[in-house]
Amino acid sequence: MATSDIQLDPKVKKLSIIGFSGDFDKLTAVFTLATGAAAVGYEVNLFFTFWGLDAIKIKQGRSPIGKGFLPKVFGLFMGGLKVAPVSRLNFAGISPKIFRHLMRKNNVATLEELVEAAKVLGINFYACEMAMHVLGLSKEDFIPEVKDVLGVATFLKLADGGQTLFI
Amino acid sequence: MATSDIQLDPKVKKLSIIGFSGDFDKLTAVFTLATGAAAVGYEVNLFFTFWGLDAIKIKQGRSPIGKGFLPKVFGLFMGGLKVAPVSRLNFAGISPKIFRHLMRKNNVATLEELVEAAKVLGINFYACEMAMHVLGLSKEDFIPEVKDVLGVATFLKLADGGQTLFI
Amino acid sequence: MATSDIQLDPKVKKLSIIGFSGDFDKLTAVFTLATGAAAVGYEVNLFFTFWGLDAIKIKQGRSPIGKGFLPKVFGLFMGGLKVAPVSRLNFAGISPKIFRHLMRKNNVATLEELVEAAKVLGINFYACEMAMHVLGLSKEDFIPEVKDVLGVATFLKLADGGQTLFI
């Protein structure tokens, strides 16, 4: 795995985020922090795991994922960015729509725009090997910007010397 | 913005917390960590965003916030410290009352007492610019202890060299 | 308290986790990160607080905890690892079972196996003094691997110089 040979430059500031949540508001926090950091020169590493893998799936919209029966059940509830729920006050999906509306109206980037910005800014996307095993996902299920599939040890090596957040 | 000119002293230990949650138990964790750190000499920076902004609003109690129609809807659910729900087992608002009761009975500081202690200890309160735009809030909506309104880049600069948590 | 006299070795990498959540998926994240880090030589400190204390209780299964009436009510909902709910899509307890099934089927360690691995790997378990006061728990309620009961200041000292996560 190429990532394990990575050279770390101690002078470059780093922000690494373990993206665990699939909630709309928390994913917005992940990408706001990530793009804000990248814009001022930080190296940014996003390590998606569990529900957070939703953010980097190619197939958006509610649909079965993985190969077995049970992963398919989860797939129906991991519908990607467009249907991600808000962690609080979700009201059957209305609340993310309100947020989106407020973001557009107040000229704040929407979640999809933040994800596009993250790609343009060269932010590193990684997927968690263990969670992929559990959910029956493979690298081909993810957007091409996903650089590598990592275990915890490799992620910690990448994150070393910087700030690390669990969201 | 005065904060961007801040001088960082590498010898002072730092704890910075991104206060995202508006849940009673998580806010209690934020202020317990913050006051515990400040009491042993840490510089503590609290950066409130999204639901966490609830903790620093002047107007406590459920009431409309912001200027548009939609922010008002959110305001009805962001009622401040006195009505903040617990992230789990909320039982229609009973659980925070149980916590409060237990805290008093066992001589543990309540959330309101922790917030007051944070002010006395000189903990730095900041509000997230982006979330304020989304929710239609302005600096005048916050308690005077809020030192500044910051973007991600300035917050990261303040947090640099210390521990940073996302709660 | 012996822990406060601890000697810190700046050359050993450290990962410290504040285990706040009692959710099955988040506890799985805590122990996956902890064991992954310990396996590559990190010193790992787990500081359990609030709902997270559930992970280190001796008495597993839903049962009253503590001495007063109210802690008992909480005890009925803090049933330990075997009945910990998933933070999302819990479906009356079915979802953790699905996860467990998927973990076994895909040869990923289950939560109980990860906890056992953490003990074998010499990971440090600590309990939060303040949360124990609130919930009416004492050191005797915890598994013998719990090394000490700590306040925030001592935990921060242990975590100093490493990565710290709040989960």
Side-chain angles (χ1 to χ4, degrees), chain A:
Chain A
M1 186 160 46
T3 312
S4 56
D5 305 321
I6 208 154
Q7 296 300 314
L8 303 174
D9 179 349
K11 285 160 300 183
V12 173
K13 303 265 183 217
K14 256 191 291 189
L15 176 68
S16 301
I17 301 176
I18 301 171
F20 173 91
S21 171
D23 292 332
F24 178 81
D25 45 352
K26 290 197 176 167
L27 284 172
T28 301
V30 167
F31 283 98
T32 302
L33 286 161
T35 53
V40 291
Y42 275 61
E43 175 193 318
V44 180
N45 301 306
L46 301 182
F47 180 65
F48 293 99
T49 185
F50 281 91
W51 315 107
L53 288 171
D54 223 20
I56 51 171
K57 282 197 311 178
I58 291 175
K59 204 166 177 180
Q60 297 282 326
R62 293 184 200 282
S63 64
I65 53 166
K67 279 164 193 166
F69 169 70
L70 291 170
K72 278 184 185 147
V73 173
F74 276 96
L76 292 173
F77 289 89
M78 291 176 69
L81 299 178
K82 292 205 192 314
V83 293
V86 169
S87 66
R88 211 174 151 190
L89 318 177
N90 195 43
F91 304 135
I94 296 168
S95 195
K97 288 197 188 90
I98 295 180
F99 261 120
R100 253 172 245 277
H101 177 93
L102 289 175
M103 285 166 146
R104 287 225 182 78
K105 204 185 132 197
N106 298 316
N107 292 318
V108 175
T110 60
L111 179 51
E112 289 84 355
E113 287 165 356
L114 287 169
V115 174
E116 289 312 308
K119 294 174 186 174
V120 173
L121 286 161
I123 284 170
N124 301 313
F125 290 62
Y126 298 103
C128 168
E129 196 169 22
M130 193 276 260
M132 286 167 62
H133 280 202
V134 174
L135 296 167
L137 291 162
S138 63
K139 197 170 182 304
E140 288 67 44
D141 294 314
F142 299 130
I143 54 175
E145 285 80 6
V146 174
K147 213 168 154 179
D148 220 335
V149 170
L150 304 181
V152 167
T154 313
F155 169 71
L156 286 172
K157 200 173 168 184
L158 284 169
D160 190 43
Q163 302 278 9
T164 309
L165 304 173
F166 182 95
I167 300 182

Side-chain angles (χ1 to χ4, degrees), chain B:
Chain B
M1 187 161 45
T3 312
S4 57
D5 304 320
I6 207 154
Q7 295 301 314
L8 302 174
D9 178 348
K11 286 160 297 181
V12 174
K13 302 265 182 217
K14 255 191 292 188
L15 176 68
S16 302
I17 302 177
I18 301 170
F20 173 91
S21 172
D23 293 333
F24 178 82
D25 46 352
K26 291 197 175 168
L27 283 172
T28 301
V30 167
F31 283 98
T32 303
L33 286 161
T35 53
V40 290
Y42 276 60
E43 174 193 320
V44 180
N45 301 306
L46 301 182
F47 180 64
F48 293 100
T49 185
F50 282 91
W51 315 107
L53 288 170
D54 223 20
I56 50 171
K57 282 197 310 177
I58 291 175
K59 204 168 177 179
Q60 297 283 326
R62 294 184 200 282
S63 62
I65 53 166
K67 281 165 190 163
F69 168 70
L70 292 170
K72 278 184 185 149
V73 174
F74 274 95
L76 292 173
F77 289 89
M78 290 175 71
L81 298 178
K82 291 206 194 310
V83 294
V86 169
S87 67
R88 212 175 150 191
L89 317 177
N90 196 44
F91 303 137
I94 296 167
S95 196
K97 288 197 190 92
I98 296 180
F99 262 120
R100 252 172 247 276
H101 177 92
L102 289 174
M103 285 166 146
R104 287 227 181 77
K105 204 185 132 197
N106 297 316
N107 292 318
V108 174
T110 60
L111 180 50
E112 288 84 356
E113 287 165 356
L114 288 169
V115 174
E116 289 312 308
K119 293 175 187 173
V120 173
L121 286 161
I123 285 172
N124 302 312
F125 291 61
Y126 299 104
C128 168
E129 195 170 23
M130 193 275 262
M132 286 168 61
H133 280 202
V134 174
L135 296 167
L137 291 162
S138 63
K139 197 170 181 305
E140 288 67 43
D141 295 312
F142 300 129
I143 54 175
E145 285 81 5
V146 173
K147 211 168 154 180
D148 218 335
V149 170
L150 304 181
V152 167
T154 312
F155 170 70
L156 286 172
K157 200 172 169 185
L158 283 169
D160 191 43
Q163 301 279 11
T164 309
L165 303 173
F166 182 97
I167 300 182

Side-chain angles (χ1 to χ4, degrees), chain C residues 7-59:
Chain C
Q7 296 301 314
L8 302 174
D9 179 348
K11 285 160 299 182
V12 174
K13 303 265 183 216
K14 255 189 293 189
L15 176 68
S16 302
I17 301 177
I18 301 169
F20 172 92
S21 171
D23 293 332
F24 178 83
D25 45 352
K26 291 198 176 168
L27 283 172
T28 302
V30 166
F31 284 97
T32 302
L33 286 161
T35 54
V40 291
Y42 276 61
E43 174 193 322
V44 180
N45 301 307
L46 301 182
F47 179 66
F48 294 99
T49 185
F50 281 91
W51 315 107
L53 288 170
D54 223 19
I56 51 171
K57 282 196 310 177
I58 290 175
K59 203 166 177 180

